[in-house]
Amino acid sequence: MQNFFNELNKNIQEAVKQEFSQIKLKVGKEKIYAVAFVTDSDCITLWLGVNTYEYLKKKDADIDAEFGDKEAFIKEFGSSMSIDEIEEFRNASPETTKWYPDEWGYSDGNNSALNKISEQLYKKQESLNTEEKSGYEVLFFETITSALQELIKSGVLQDDLGEITYFITMTDDDRAPVIEKYSAEILNSEKKYKEFIKEAGYINEEGIELHFD
């Protein structure tokens, strides 16, 4: 099993190098602020999400234009809301897609090198016996975290100013907050990690870090 994950580490690094270089060509002069490595609840699908401040601004502006007329919304639906709910809605900060990779502007897309690794992961899981499955997920996350650490350390995923935030996430799964927090703490500086958990809503209004374990 360990041989499989050693090989997986190498393959992920090679795939991300290839795909990130292509993504940077699409990004052009836009400024990247986040890179996320995304998997699913079965630990099979892998894709690389990248976003820029420029795309974030445009996406959030589009959402605000669609849902930003709060008074019109209150006029239409306010009868089913309490006074407190209406005031909370009025004072709420605009929605942002900053930390939601599904809403980001750039990824490795279909038929990428990471897609091929996903196919290999599916075949591997199909071949596992019950005993092997029990420790598979732990080794999987250890491997992808280690691969990303090496890519960041080597400069492959870095920008000139070192301002990118990195994290791993899992789509459509309640474990995502734990995975995001844990990976962000490992992959970033302490300053970047604290900025991330604050902006991503992992710190409450009193400044206390929320735990999801």
Side-chain angles (χ1 to χ4, degrees):
M1 181 72 81
Q2 191 58 54
N3 289 337
F4 170 78
F5 282 105
N6 288 340
E7 189 66 22
L8 177 64
N9 188 316
K10 294 177 183 178
N11 291 342
I12 286 174
Q13 289 195 51
E14 288 303 315
V16 171
K17 286 178 185 178
Q18 177 181 331
E19 300 305 331
F20 191 63
S21 66
Q22 295 300 311
I23 289 172
K24 285 197 295 184
L25 292 176
K26 298 175 185 176
V27 166
K29 295 183 179 180
E30 294 181 20
K31 184 172 178 54
I32 297 172
Y33 72 84
V35 171
F37 203 59
V38 187
T39 188
D40 61 3
S41 57
D42 294 319
C43 301
I44 293 175
T45 302
L46 294 176
W47 58 276
L48 188 68
V50 176
N51 211 25
T52 65
Y53 285 115
E54 290 82 357
Y55 188 90
L56 172 69
K57 184 177 180 180
K58 179 181 181 300
K59 182 70 174 182
D60 286 359
D62 289 343
I63 292 175
D64 191 51
E66 185 175 356
F67 300 104
D69 192 343
K70 293 183 178 181
E71 294 307 316
F73 183 91
I74 291 170
K75 184 177 180 180
E76 184 172 356
F77 301 104
S79 61
S80 62
M81 302 166 68
S82 69
I83 294 175
D84 288 341
E85 286 174 335
I86 290 173
E87 285 306 306
E88 183 178 354
F89 178 71
R90 277 199 176 106
N91 297 323
S93 300
E95 291 292 324
T96 180
T97 59
K98 188 170 187 179
W99 303 115
Y100 296 96
D102 284 345
E103 303 290 342
W104 289 359
Y106 305 94
S107 70
D108 53 289
N110 298 324
N111 301 316
S112 72
L114 286 172
N115 292 154
K116 293 179 175 61
I117 293 176
S118 296
E119 293 172 5
Q120 295 169 5
L121 289 171
Y122 176 78
K123 292 178 182 178
K124 181 64 177 178
Q125 289 225 32
E126 287 290 293
S127 70
L128 296 177
N129 59 43
T130 303
E131 183 179 351
E132 290 172 328
K133 286 181 179 180
S134 63
Y136 181 88
E137 189 172 293
V138 172
L139 289 171
F140 173 80
F141 279 106
E142 286 180 353
T143 300
I144 62 176
T145 302
S146 175
L148 290 179
Q149 281 181 301
E150 289 298 320
L151 289 164
I152 294 167
K153 183 179 178 181
S154 66
V156 171
L157 291 177
Q158 291 280 8
D159 63 345
D160 293 337
L161 301 176
E163 293 185 359
I164 296 176
T165 299
Y166 309 93
F167 63 97
I168 298 167
T169 190
M170 179 179 279
T171 57
D172 301 323
D173 197 287
D174 292 339
R175 292 171 290 175
V178 176
I179 295 166
E180 290 181 7
K181 285 180 60 184
Y182 178 74
S183 62
E185 187 170 16
I186 292 175
L187 299 174
N188 299 281
S189 66
E190 183 178 0
K191 179 182 177 182
K192 277 292 177 188
Y193 168 70
K194 288 183 176 179
E195 289 175 355
F196 170 74
I197 61 174
K198 181 178 180 180
E199 292 185 5
Y202 296 142
I203 293 180
N204 65 19
E205 293 179 357
E206 288 74 36
I208 300 172
E209 185 173 344
L210 303 177
H211 296 278
F212 301 85
D213 309 83

